[in-house]
Amino acid sequence: MASSSALAVLATLSLLLSPAAAACPQLDGIVRSTVQDAVRREIALAAGLLRIFFHDCFPNGCDASILLNTTSDRETARGPNLTIQPRAMQLIELIRAKAHAACGPTVSCADITLLATRAAVIASGGPWFPVPEGNLDSLAPAAQSKVFELPGPATDSVAALVAKFATRGLGDAADLVALSGAHTIGRSQCGSFSERTKRSDDTFSKKLAANCTKWPNMLQNLDVVTPDLFDNGYFRALTFNQGVFTSDMALIKDGATKGMVKQFAESKEAFFAQFAKSMAKLANAPKPDGNKGEIRRFSCFRTNAQRIETVVVIDAVEEEGFAASA
């Protein structure tokens, strides 16, 4: 397992050697300060960035295609994040505007998404992990069939989830368990875990059902131990059968993953090491057509060709200070 000092050295070397840093020396400072300020005000933005990262990288590799999708597509893709994911999208756009103002159009929205997600994980207490740079932005929105291939939280078995992850270069069951740990800072609407509440087969699920009956529009913390900190509280909760999703509970019940859940519950360091490894693998998920595209110059929400003909409205809700345009 890499020590914190070794990870710090790797982070420094990554910055010095990265093409994005070479193209825009101010980029690291812009990303770090902007994300830290935003997450300090609203920890849920870290969860929003992670969800964008997963939905963008899992289907076709990290190409910012999810940012081009129509409002209705994003509505379905963002699921329980409600207004959080649009604000996370606006945060990515704010960073693009700042970086391009400082260095010109030298950094892609795909790279910014990766860097901002890593910065958000770190700002909320999680580990550093390497991400590839030099990714180009897709010229087309993500195909709906691909956007929604991301494994669902409701009823998939561990075997089914592992099989889906394997198609993206994440064939180790440890990848599934560690990446599920991102729920440590997540929240979800009652409708997203209704399968669990309907079964009400343990004390915690009965409590969830009662709360959702009383407050149907509530947002449930996915980590009931330390919901505002990126740590191993999610896994500690699972050992007490306090998983919100059926797929969460499957991790502690299935023999292939139960031991890892217990290991991560006992050791934050073990979880962080595997999470960093698995995030790096997902960030390098294969792109079927290779690294083709452009650097979006005017907005992360439209291609350069759409600058004149299209005006994209992300959502009616806009966080003060997050609006950005160039």
Side-chain angles (χ1 to χ4, degrees):
M1 183 186 306
S3 67
S4 57
S5 59
L7 287 176
V9 171
L10 285 173
T12 302
L13 288 174
S14 175
L15 174 60
L16 292 174
L17 298 175
S18 75
C24 184
Q26 300 98 315
L27 180 63
D28 182 65
I30 290 172
V31 172
R32 186 173 60 251
S33 62
T34 305
V35 171
Q36 284 178 347
D37 288 347
V39 171
R40 189 179 300 117
R41 292 195 299 269
E42 186 174 17
I43 186 66
L45 284 169
L49 285 168
L50 276 164
R51 189 168 180 83
I52 292 169
F53 175 97
F54 286 132
H55 273 284
D56 189 43
C57 297
F58 194 92
N60 277 322
C62 307
D63 61 2
S65 57
I66 190 65
L67 300 180
L68 291 177
N69 280 57
T70 64
T71 302
S72 60
D73 290 342
R74 285 193 299 261
E75 191 76 28
T76 304
R78 76 190 186 188
N81 285 296
L82 297 175
T83 60
I84 298 302
Q85 191 165 308
R87 291 204 292 277
M89 289 178 171
Q90 289 286 8
L91 185 58
I92 293 169
E93 169 61 9
L94 174 60
I95 295 170
R96 182 208 63 79
K98 287 183 176 181
H100 287 196
C103 305
T106 58
V107 183
S108 70
C109 296
D111 278 359
I112 288 170
T113 300
L114 293 176
L115 295 168
T117 301
R118 179 174 68 188
V121 169
I122 294 171
S124 55
W128 178 90
F129 52 90
V131 295
E133 296 176 25
N135 298 284
L136 293 176
D137 297 323
S138 172
L139 297 174
Q144 273 199 358
S145 60
K146 291 291 184 180
V147 172
F148 309 126
E149 279 182 1
L150 194 69
T155 58
D156 279 350
S157 67
V158 167
L161 289 169
V162 170
K164 288 182 179 179
F165 273 61
T167 65
R168 314 310 298 146
L170 298 158
D172 191 331
D175 295 319
L176 168 63
V177 179
L179 292 176
S180 296
H183 288 169
T184 187
I185 50 172
R187 293 173 175 81
S188 186
Q189 272 189 310
C190 290
S192 297
F193 51 90
S194 59
E195 197 272 344
R196 176 112 161 90
T197 57
K198 287 176 181 176
R199 293 174 65 178
S200 294
D201 54 358
D202 56 39
T203 301
F204 185 69
S205 60
K206 291 176 181 176
K207 181 179 180 181
L208 289 176
N211 288 343
C212 286
T213 299
K214 189 173 183 180
W215 301 290
N217 296 319
M218 76 170 193
L219 285 177
Q220 170 65 43
N221 292 321
L222 302 181
D223 174 355
V224 298
V225 178
T226 51
D228 293 331
L229 182 65
F230 196 105
D231 63 3
N232 62 337
Y234 162 80
F235 295 105
R236 299 205 304 273
L238 289 187
T239 63
F240 292 102
N241 293 321
Q242 294 178 338
V244 175
F245 294 130
T246 299
S247 59
D248 291 333
M249 291 305 301
L251 296 178
I252 190 63
K253 293 180 178 180
D254 193 288
T257 51
K258 183 177 181 178
M260 282 178 279
V261 170
K262 290 185 174 181
Q263 179 191 19
F264 293 163
E266 294 170 357
S267 171
K268 182 176 73 173
E269 290 73 22
F271 164 48
F272 278 13
Q274 182 60 52
F275 182 82
K277 181 180 178 181
S278 298
M279 285 291 281
K281 289 167 71 173
L282 181 55
N284 284 280
K287 300 178 181 180
D289 298 324
N291 189 30
K292 297 180 180 179
E294 64 184 3
I295 292 178
R296 293 177 198 152
R297 299 173 58 198
F298 310 109
S299 169
C300 284
F301 311 130
R302 58 187 186 269
T303 66
N304 295 335
Q306 292 175 315
R307 181 193 181 192
I308 303 299
E309 61 194 59
T310 304
V311 176
V312 177
V313 178
I314 287 299
D315 202 71
V317 178
E318 184 176 280
E319 186 76 2
E320 181 179 357
F322 285 0
S325 60

